[in-house]
Amino acid sequence: MTIIVSELSSEWAGDPLEKSTVTYRIDLGDRHYDVFIRSAALQPQPGLDAALPLALLAAMRLRRPIRVEGALSARFLEGVGRVMALFEQSFEEFFAVPIDVDSIYQPAALAGPRKATFFSGGVDSFFTLAKGHEVLTDLIYIHGFDVRLDDLPRRAAVSAMGVAVAAGSGTRFIEVESNLGKVIQDFGSWPLHGHGFALISLARALTGEIGEVRIPGTHSLRHQKPWGSWVETDPLFSDERLAIIHDACEAERIDKVERIAAEPLAQAYLRVCWGRVDGMYNCCRCEKCLRTMVSLHALGRLERFASFPLPLEPRDVAGVLLPRASLRIYLAENIKLLTQRRPDQRALIAALQRQLHRPIWLAVLRLKWRKRLARLNGHLRRWMRRESA
């Protein structure tokens, strides 16, 4: 069964300040996904380069060929083939598949002059902005990526953050809305396999005046590994109209935190988690929050970061569960930094050591029980609300 990729509809606003929308269909035969992308910065495209990445995980997982009912850039199509080959080499559940396309085009225009970066307000985003502040012109944020489209309060908070950071850095803040998550999450892990394809799709949809898009790298060059957004795959989605850059470098996460620790914009708006606690910009209690808070505390800067209002307590740090070995890289960095900079913080160092020595299997088991208890509590709260109504 062939997977069909097509453009379902497009609505182009006459006013550059109003939002345009394009909707693509990824048709698997037995089901289909209609994926919209909406933004005031959306650009008409000569082909379906923005749609194809949305179909790749499904095609590689199901081993189904792809039929593109439209055009693709020749260089882009070649790069997609190399991406699939890398996925087949790196993940046992994915296989390269053939792609049939209506037509191939050679881009007539050169890359546009504007240089953008994806920006979520996190450590990687602020580091890429700080490193490239002399040339970057645009910050791109995706609603529906890590904050749900219907989560209006958090969307408003993120929008306010983006507008403020853009004003402070002399850039333009581009907001994009999309429901692309499901077509990716149904066929692979969002962080491990899919989030890079989502970023590529949106970068290709904005191509025009923007001729370069940077993807802030999570891992340093030393710790690169195959996963959703990777130094080996991201640039392969480039062509003559758009350069995709995976912004990885020698800096480890602790180096990035140290680089942005003195930045006023980061001190005001750094956002490292999804803010699942009502009214909180950062929850200050999840693994990412506590990891970042420990780094800032070791550097003597935590008190300057308004987005972490709750105190840093060793008992909370000790209770962090690390279900993957890769997360221990950051843990080891924090232990080293605290030992060097704040050796008097013995309780905090001991709390980190407890994390380090906890077996991964035990962390995974405890996380499962935490999630089950959270679901049960949610059901109980909803039942109590119904009974009291």
Side-chain angles (χ1 to χ4, degrees), residues 51-248:
L52 180 58
L54 301 172
L56 291 178
L57 274 190
M60 290 191 292
R61 188 67 175 261
L62 301 174
R63 303 195 200 186
R64 297 182 185 178
I66 298 174
R67 168 70 182 165
V68 178
E69 295 186 341
L72 292 176
S73 156
R75 183 176 156 195
F76 174 80
L77 178 58
E78 178 186 359
V80 169
R82 293 166 64 189
V83 169
M84 288 194 294
L86 284 168
F87 260 65
E88 184 171 11
Q89 295 168 16
S90 305
F91 304 104
E92 62 181 13
E93 62 266 54
F94 295 113
F95 298 85
V97 299
I99 299 176
D100 182 30
V101 57
D102 277 355
S103 61
I104 302 295
Y105 74 89
Q106 294 291 338
L110 297 176
R114 302 186 72 88
K115 299 179 187 296
T117 180
F118 284 106
F119 187 84
S120 65
V123 171
D124 299 325
S125 294
F126 267 110
F127 181 77
T128 291
L129 176 59
K131 188 159 62 77
H133 72 279
E134 293 183 352
V135 297
L136 288 172
T137 59
D138 298 271
L139 309 179
I140 305 169
Y141 179 78
I142 309 163
H143 294 289
F145 196 87
D146 60 357
V147 175
R148 298 192 319 270
L149 290 173
D150 61 355
D151 193 343
L152 300 182
R154 290 190 180 94
R155 283 187 57 177
V158 172
S159 294
M161 173 274 294
V163 169
V165 173
S169 60
T171 57
R172 175 178 63 167
F173 184 52
I174 296 176
E175 297 185 80
V176 183
E177 300 171 58
S178 183
N179 64 339
L180 48 66
K182 188 165 178 57
V183 69
I184 291 173
Q185 292 169 324
D186 278 0
F187 301 98
S189 162
W190 177 262
L192 183 58
H193 308 125
H195 71 283
F197 292 144
L199 295 173
I200 296 300
S201 175
L202 296 177
R204 298 294 318 188
L206 298 174
T207 305
E209 287 186 334
I210 295 175
E212 176 182 302
V213 174
R214 302 183 185 187
I215 298 178
T218 298
H219 302 294
S220 69
L221 291 174
R222 185 163 67 96
H223 290 115
Q224 283 294 307
K225 63 176 182 178
W227 79 318
S229 175
W230 179 26
V231 72
E232 294 290 336
T233 54
D234 288 350
L236 294 175
F237 292 100
S238 305
D239 67 0
E240 295 83 353
R241 297 178 64 235
L242 179 68
I244 303 286
I245 296 174
H246 183 90
D247 192 38

Side-chain angles (χ1 to χ4, degrees), residues 238-378:
S238 305
D239 67 0
E240 295 83 353
R241 297 178 64 235
L242 179 68
I244 303 286
I245 296 174
H246 183 90
D247 192 38
C249 59
E250 298 297 336
E252 304 291 352
R253 183 177 178 84
I254 200 65
D255 301 316
K256 295 180 180 181
V257 174
E258 188 165 12
R259 172 67 177 80
I260 68 173
E263 295 284 341
L265 287 173
Q267 291 175 357
Y269 299 108
L270 184 66
R271 169 183 168 268
V272 300
C273 86
W274 297 359
R276 292 189 182 277
V277 179
D278 289 342
M280 299 289 288
Y281 186 70
N282 289 305
C283 75
C284 300
R285 291 297 176 261
C286 70
E287 185 274 331
K288 290 187 73 174
C289 278
L290 288 167
R291 177 211 310 169
T292 307
M293 292 168 72
V294 168
S295 300
L296 292 169
H297 176 72
L299 296 168
R301 297 278 184 172
L302 179 57
E303 292 73 17
R304 302 189 184 190
F305 278 73
S307 56
F308 295 107
L310 299 185
L312 178 64
E313 300 289 352
R315 66 175 180 274
D316 296 319
V317 174
V320 169
L321 301 173
L322 303 179
R324 300 188 303 275
S326 59
L327 293 172
R328 299 188 175 212
I329 296 171
Y330 311 128
L331 176 57
E333 289 180 352
N334 270 337
I335 292 173
K336 181 179 179 181
L337 185 67
L338 267 175
T339 302
Q340 291 175 342
R341 301 287 187 93
R342 306 288 294 273
D344 59 307
Q345 299 292 297
R346 287 187 288 271
L348 200 52
I349 294 171
L352 294 172
Q353 292 286 357
R354 285 187 63 184
Q355 284 188 47
L356 184 63
H357 295 301
R358 183 179 291 120
I360 291 177
W361 67 265
L362 181 58
V364 171
L365 184 63
R366 287 186 179 179
L367 278 173
K368 286 182 179 179
W369 278 107
R370 281 187 185 179
K371 290 179 181 178
R372 289 177 182 177
L373 287 172
R375 285 197 294 268
L376 287 173
N377 286 332

